[in-house]
Amino acid sequence: MEPAFKVNGKYTEEEYVRFMRFLVRGQGRGRRSFIIWLCVFSAWLLLSLILYWDVVSVLIPLACLALYLWTMTIGLDRRLRRNFRKNKLQANLEYELSFFDDHYEGVASTGTDNIPYEKMHKILETPTNIYLLLTPGQGSILRKDDLPEGALEFLRKVKETYKL
């Protein structure tokens, strides 16, 4: 059987960080989490100002907010880059994905995979990438720039057909 299309890619550090950042921050729902935490810290700060009005009670919520922001931005990226560099098996791994009507096949130097669409967890789309999730934290990365013409529509149709 001939595939509908094939995609060649490379598992780079930048793509890995972008993918994991997307997953860790709630698959696009990270803004909601950030707004909730911002409201909590603001309320804490306001109550500290009203009830105690001293430097320590004001600095504690500000320090917690700063720590949260660092953890979800710079700290997260540093951890992800370190994890990518530790994984010698996947660092800069080149792969080829072939898409068929009912499954896709992945070929890399580490082995071959045959994944039926019905067994997949989700297909997620961002402005730059398509993520084919096998589990909530594991999947394949497709750059939209690497997709041949018609591939994006094919993947959207698969997502709709299999309710991914």
Side-chain angles (χ1 to χ4, degrees):
M1 182 180 354
E2 204 52 38
F5 66 94
K6 291 184 179 186
V7 178
N8 292 318
K10 188 174 185 180
Y11 201 65
T12 63
E13 181 176 333
E14 191 58 40
E15 290 300 326
Y16 171 77
V17 169
R18 185 179 293 144
F19 174 57
M20 292 306 294
R21 191 186 304 143
F22 181 75
L23 294 179
V24 168
R25 290 185 182 160
Q27 299 175 13
R29 297 183 305 270
R31 287 190 189 113
R32 181 175 51 202
S33 172
F34 173 74
I35 290 170
I36 290 169
W37 278 108
L38 189 61
C39 290
V40 167
F41 289 126
S42 297
W44 187 10
L45 179 62
L46 185 62
L47 284 173
S48 297
L49 285 171
I50 291 171
L51 298 177
Y52 302 108
W53 190 249
D54 65 351
V55 175
V56 173
S57 64
V58 171
L59 288 179
I60 291 173
L62 288 176
C64 289
L65 178 60
L67 180 64
Y68 171 75
L69 291 174
W70 185 85
T71 301
M72 292 308 288
T73 56
I74 297 167
L76 176 64
D77 286 357
R78 287 178 61 188
R79 262 191 329 273
L80 293 174
R81 290 184 193 287
R82 188 172 43 240
N83 288 345
F84 180 84
R85 291 177 188 140
K86 284 181 183 178
N87 189 344
K88 303 293 185 200
L89 192 61
Q90 287 187 329
N92 298 313
L93 178 71
E94 293 183 11
Y95 57 87
E96 179 183 83
L97 299 177
S98 302
F99 291 85
F100 298 88
D101 290 337
D102 61 343
H103 71 285
Y104 77 95
E105 295 176 359
V107 178
S109 61
T110 57
T112 304
D113 290 321
N114 185 338
I115 295 115
Y117 297 132
E118 62 193 26
K119 302 263 185 190
M120 289 177 54
H121 177 66
K122 272 187 185 177
I123 296 178
L124 299 171
E125 184 175 351
T126 69
T128 58
N129 294 337
I130 300 286
Y131 301 127
L132 308 172
L133 295 181
L134 304 176
T135 67
Q138 177 188 13
S140 300
I141 302 168
L142 297 175
R143 289 185 39 199
K144 285 186 178 178
D145 294 341
D146 296 341
L147 295 176
E149 193 170 320
L152 195 54
E153 291 77 24
F154 178 86
L155 291 170
R156 287 178 181 152
K157 184 180 172 189
V158 166
K159 181 178 180 177
E160 184 180 311
T161 303
Y162 292 94
K163 307 283 190 260
L164 300 173

